[in-house]
Every structure is written in C-alpha cells, then in structure tokens.
Amino acid sequence: MTSSTHPAPDTKSTLIKGLLVGLLFGGLIAFGLASLLLSDSSKHGNGVSAHSDKSAHSDETDNKAPLYWVAPMDDSYRRDKPGKSPMGMDLVPVYANDDATSAKSNERTPGTVMIPPNVQHNIGVKVAPVTIGTLQQTVTAVGNVAYDEDSIVHIHPRVSGWVDRLFIKSQGEQVEKEQALYTLYSPELVSAQEEYVLALKRGDARLIQGAAERLRTLGLSKSVIEALQKTRRVTQTVTFNAPQSGVVEALNIREGFYVQPGTTLMSIAQLDTVWVIAEVPEKYAQIIAPHNSAVVTLDEMDHGSDAKWESHVEYIYPSLSETTRTLKVRIPLNNNNHTLKPNMFAHVGIKPTQRKAALLVPRSAVIRTAEGAKVVLSDGDGNFKSVRVTLGQSDSTHFEVVEGLLPEDDVVVSAQFLIDSESSKSSDF
C-alpha cells in the first residue's frame, strides 16, 4: 500500500528538471520581448526625423509638379494631366510659383501677364523694339486715263445755217490739221462773200479790208478768203477745216442739221499728252502736295519699261468725292506713241514729301479694336501688358506712334492677340 501512494525518486527528479526548463524558457521569452520593445522604441524615435525629411522632399516635389494643364487660347479649359485643347493645341502646364508670381505681378501693375519662357516658346511670342525714324511712304491709288483737256478744241459755228456735207462720220476718228470737216450753207455767209467781191470790184482798199475782216470774224479760213479773192465767185456752201490734228472726242451733228452760234458741232483732242486722274484716299489728303513724284503702271500691259510712266502731281482738285471720299489729283503723262488710251484703268504710286522723324512700331504689333489701337508691351522678364496707343501715318512696314509708347520699348509682334485677351481683362490702359 505504501509503494502505491508515494512517487518514486526518479519521477520527482524528472518533475524538478521540467520546472527548471520552463522557468528558463519563460525568462528567455521575457528578455526577447523587452529587447523587441526597446528596438521598436528606438525605431519610432528615429522615424520622426525620417518622416520630416520625407515631408520636405515631398513639398519640394510638389512645387516642381504642375498644378494643372491649361489650353493656350482659353485659360478656362483646365485638365489634371497633359493633353490637347479643343483647338488641337498642346495643353500648357501651370505651376504653383507661376500663379504666385503672376498674382504678385498683377498686384504691382494691373493688366500684367507673366508667361514663363517655355510657354512663350510654345505659343510663338516674338518681340521687336520701338524705333525712331521716318516713314518710307508711297501712297497707292487707282485712276483713269483721260484726255488732256488743255489740248481739246471745240468747234462752233459763228453763223446760223445747215450742215450740207459732213466728212467726219464717227466719234474717235483720227483727223489731220486742215482736213475738211463739214460744209455749211448760211445766207449770212453768202451775203458776206458778196460784199467782199463787190469791194474787190470797186477797188476801195478800205472796203476790201472791212469785208475781209468780216469774213474772218464769221470763221472763214485764210485759204478760203484767198481763193475768193482770186476767183471772185461766191459759193453757196463754205468748207470748214480742222484747226489741229487729233481724234474726234465728241461729234454732235449729222448732215442736214440746222446749227446756230453756240452749238458744239464737234471736239478734237490730241493724244500726245494725256492725264491720269487718280483717286487718293481721304486719310492721305493732307500729305499730298503739287510736284510730288508719281509712277503710273497698267496691269493690262506687259510689265516692262514701256508699261511704266514717271511723272508728278500737277494739280490737286479742291474737293473730295461725296460717294467715295477720295481726293482727285491730276498727273500728266507723255504719250507720243499713243499707247495710253482714254478710260484705261491705271495704278498710281505717289511719293509724298519726306516726313519728320517719329516713333515707329511694326505694323504686325498693332491690334485694331472698336475702342482704338493697342499694342502689347514686354519688359524682357516675361511680363506683358496691353497698352492703348494713338497712331499717325503708316507705310508698308511701320506705323507712326503719336502717343502711348517710349523709345526702345519692346512690343510683341507675334501671339499678341492671345496675350492681349488675357491682359485686357484687368489692364488700366
């Protein structure tokens, strides 16, 4: 019975060894947990510094990263990534410092727009300086070739009568000096001839001189009077001849017409010289003066020396046309070979007297609006602003600037419309 209730010595030893092993294992686990906690605490303490470094790096990266992308022609079109605008243009990145710099610039000067260099390159911004110089003006106008009115001779009868025969059949016909034009029957001419013949028969020098003077007054030529003196025969009709060579500019009679003093029978004009009547726009009326040089060309003719005439402004008409608001100027041309015909269409270039020196701006820099003219100024540091200007005269490349700019200012000559649309929103002009 005793052996069954008390354990054996070997069993007790085994239990003691197991207890010691358990205590040792528990100590190791406790030591390991303590070390792990200390390690985590150390790592946690070092992690604050790492987090600060990472946060600073993140801020620097954010400053370099674009806030958004915007369409070059419409700043209201914004996207969060690169792409194309509705017009097919590449979207432009906008950075935080761009907005800050632009806002600061706008606070300094209303209407100022700041554009980074890369954006300027993308939209094609170009600038040019304002210079001092004189315009190389050539006023262009259109005109028509006309007869030289100083060379036109109008033929009128000095007595009443009937046109018996007409040798000229149509307007524009070429005639030579002393060529027969028409014959006229007039009772008054018959009576004057009879008086002259009677004076010749009487041999009275005083009567002869008076009768001959009357015939000359009535329009008879010297050759007709000499023939009458020789033959002493009165003719029922008298032939009248051309006083000069030229072309028939107007023909107002036919055979059998009854005419009387004051009736214009015909007009004869010469073509050795012609006029070009040019229509100069009203804005150039104040700079055109007599004797300004002029060059006349005709599109209808082959280009060359024979299709170009150099002359001058001979006369400026005193009033403007009510319908076209143009000023007429007269330019005489030598036309010995009769190349120029009346009513031909001509191009005229007139060189005004050289103007005084003034501020000049390229024509491409000027923006025309209903309120007036504008240009976009550049300060060279990426800042742009629209300003209003007052313009004077112009030539093919430049405008005169009367007010609004200073010498050596820089103005935008390309992409200025895009910049002006943004600057005009807040510019003080």
Side-chain angles (χ1 to χ4, degrees), residues 48-293:
V48 173
S49 176
H51 178 72
S52 299
D53 294 341
K54 182 177 180 181
S55 176
H57 178 72
S58 176
D59 290 342
E60 182 179 356
T61 304
D62 290 342
N63 287 334
K64 294 182 179 180
L67 297 178
Y68 52 86
W69 279 260
V70 64
M73 302 298 291
D74 182 10
D75 60 357
S76 64
Y77 185 86
R78 301 182 179 186
R79 292 293 182 269
D80 57 358
K81 60 182 179 179
K84 297 286 186 179
S85 71
M87 299 179 64
M89 302 174 66
D90 291 334
L91 297 181
V92 177
V94 177
Y95 300 91
N97 59 341
D98 294 343
D99 284 348
T101 304
S102 179
K104 185 177 180 181
S105 176
N106 287 337
E107 290 177 2
R108 291 197 308 268
T109 305
T112 301
V113 178
M114 190 275 175
I115 304 178
N118 62 325
V119 180
Q120 294 182 38
H121 176 74
N122 290 340
I123 64 178
V125 176
K126 296 180 181 179
V127 298
V130 178
T131 58
I132 299 177
T134 56
L135 295 176
Q136 303 298 319
Q137 279 185 301
T138 298
V139 178
T140 58
V142 296
N144 289 311
V145 179
Y147 288 108
D148 181 351
E149 294 182 6
D150 292 337
S151 71
I152 297 178
V153 173
H154 301 285
I155 299 174
H156 304 267
R158 297 184 179 181
V159 294
S160 300
W162 288 263
V163 178
D164 183 67
R165 188 175 178 185
L166 184 63
F167 300 100
I168 304 300
K169 302 302 181 182
S170 63
Q171 181 179 351
E173 191 171 332
Q174 187 80 31
V175 297
E176 299 295 334
K177 186 176 181 179
E178 299 300 331
Q179 178 181 330
L181 299 177
Y182 65 97
T183 60
L184 183 69
Y185 167 71
S186 172
E188 188 175 353
L189 287 178
V190 173
S191 174
Q193 291 179 77
E194 290 175 346
E195 289 180 4
Y196 183 63
V197 172
L198 181 60
L200 290 173
K201 290 180 179 181
R202 291 184 177 182
D204 190 334
R206 184 177 177 182
L207 291 177
I208 292 173
Q209 183 179 0
E213 186 64 29
R214 184 186 178 194
L215 290 175
R216 283 192 291 270
T217 302
L218 294 178
L220 270 67
S221 64
K222 182 179 179 180
S223 60
V224 172
I225 296 174
E226 290 176 352
L228 180 60
Q229 182 181 5
K230 292 179 181 179
T231 61
R232 300 189 179 187
R233 294 178 58 184
V234 176
T235 58
Q236 296 298 310
T237 60
V238 178
T239 301
F240 290 87
N241 302 321
Q244 69 176 17
S245 300
V247 296
V248 178
E249 188 266 337
L251 181 62
N252 303 318
I253 58 172
R254 289 292 182 267
E255 292 182 356
F257 271 33
Y258 174 77
V259 297
Q260 53 188 348
T263 304
T264 302
L265 305 182
M266 64 183 69
S267 301
I268 299 176
Q270 293 182 334
L271 287 175
D272 294 337
T273 59
V274 293
W275 289 349
V276 171
I277 308 299
E279 304 272 351
V280 177
E282 182 179 5
K283 65 178 180 178
Y284 299 118
Q286 300 301 321
I287 65 174
I288 299 296
H291 308 295
N292 286 160
S293 60

